[in-house]
Amino acid sequence: MTWHILGAGSLGGLWATRLARAGLPVRLILRDRSALARYQAAGGLTLVEDGVASLHAIAAETAQGEAPIQRLLLACKAYDAEAAVAELAPRLRPDAELILLQNGLGSQQAVAASLPRARCIFASSTEGAFRESDFRVVYAGRGHTWLGQEGVTPPPQWLAELQAAGIPHQWTAAILGRLWRKLALNCAINPLTVLHDCRNGGLRDWPQEVAGLCEELALLLRAAGQAEAADDLHQEVLRVIEGTAANYSSMHQDVAHGRRTEIAYLLGHACREAQALGLELAQLQALHLRLRLYLAARGLPET
Ligand code: NAD
Ligand code: KPL
């Protein structure tokens, strides 16, 4: 079974190169003909791992290719996911399997709703990768990927392929809890690092702000039916701040590079859910507003 991978960016590149070097059939789906031409000129995807670069001449095409797609790894940003899947829809088999790598919440649900007969598997990853240049991906941080469909216990058989490719993973029937927990961590840390223009460790100087946000996020998680994801949230946020003190958060990096953020699927999603649940979370709402104004002032999208 071919692994079609949409998005040859950081995570898509990391997955594609590991699957391909395990001898599995992989095809990249690139944005347009110009991206395809640049990819062909580069001779393939380069993975830099532990300082060693390897080139992988993986087959690539655009969404306009003709072969039907049974298995798709969607590796674009959350804000591109729905449109990317809509473009590919004519090629997806009715019972296609999609693995959705997007961070935050909201985009996965939108994709799943647009393809009611497909099997949509949600993923939450702590792996770290970045694009050094076009089609050159650096594996920057070992991590783990949880995959799952809410309430579905038997994992798909192809998990063995991830094992063979050395992709650390685990199946879970409680994937929404994982996604909510990561969203809460990201909401407690990332926006503040942008607004205070600091590394994660810089948030040691703002303990009250962090504590207040964690309290509201825990309320939200419980109201959203994710009580387990709320347990010890504040302690974990403090642990992550210490463990990643020297790093810039992904949102800080996006803003620093003038790139669109995934705010709508992180803090925006949290605020929308709070409103739908009738919760008044003043600190989260105020943070959302401050962040939107900050982004707008820098010419970046507020959603
Ligand atoms: P990225 O920007 O590096 O890569 C996304 C790629 O998708 C880009 O190459 C883009 O051109 C491509 N793309 C977008 N729309 C497309 C389309 N219609 N057709 C073909 N290609 C298209 O992003 P990333 O860092 O790999 O992040 C992907 C998702 O994974 C995000 O939601 C991110 O938050 C999440 N994530 C990333 C990391 C990481 O370390 N990079 C870690 C955990 C989670
Ligand atoms: O996931 C992160 C990010 O930067 O996006 C951490 C390190 C957990 C900070 O929220």
Side-chain angles (χ1 to χ4, degrees), residues 157-178:
Q157 288 191 340
W158 48 257
L159 281 201
E161 297 189 2
L162 302 191
Q163 194 70 35
I167 298 175
H169 67 279
Q170 196 174 319
W171 183 259
T172 172
I175 188 68
L176 283 179
R178 292 265 166 207

Side-chain angles (χ1 to χ4, degrees), residues 21-106:
R21 77 180 171 195
L24 296 160
V26 179
R27 283 189 85 79
L28 296 169
I29 298 173
L30 305 180
R31 211 186 256 280
D32 49 32
R33 291 170 90 72
S34 132
L36 187 57
R38 283 184 283 117
Y39 175 77
Q40 277 156 355
L45 261 181
T46 298
L47 175 68
V48 182
E49 199 178 3
D50 300 323
V52 180
S54 53
L55 178 67
H56 304 264
I58 298 169
E61 61 191 24
T62 65
Q64 279 66 51
E66 276 170 15
I69 295 175
Q70 178 64 34
R71 185 183 301 154
L72 176 69
L73 179 74
L74 193 66
C76 57
K77 298 279 196 185
Y79 47 75
D80 282 327
E82 248 188 295
V85 165
E87 209 185 347
L88 267 190
R91 291 180 59 191
L92 290 172
R93 288 191 197 273
D95 60 346
E97 288 179 301
L98 283 82
I99 300 120
L100 310 177
L101 280 182
Q102 289 61 46
N103 202 12
L105 276 162

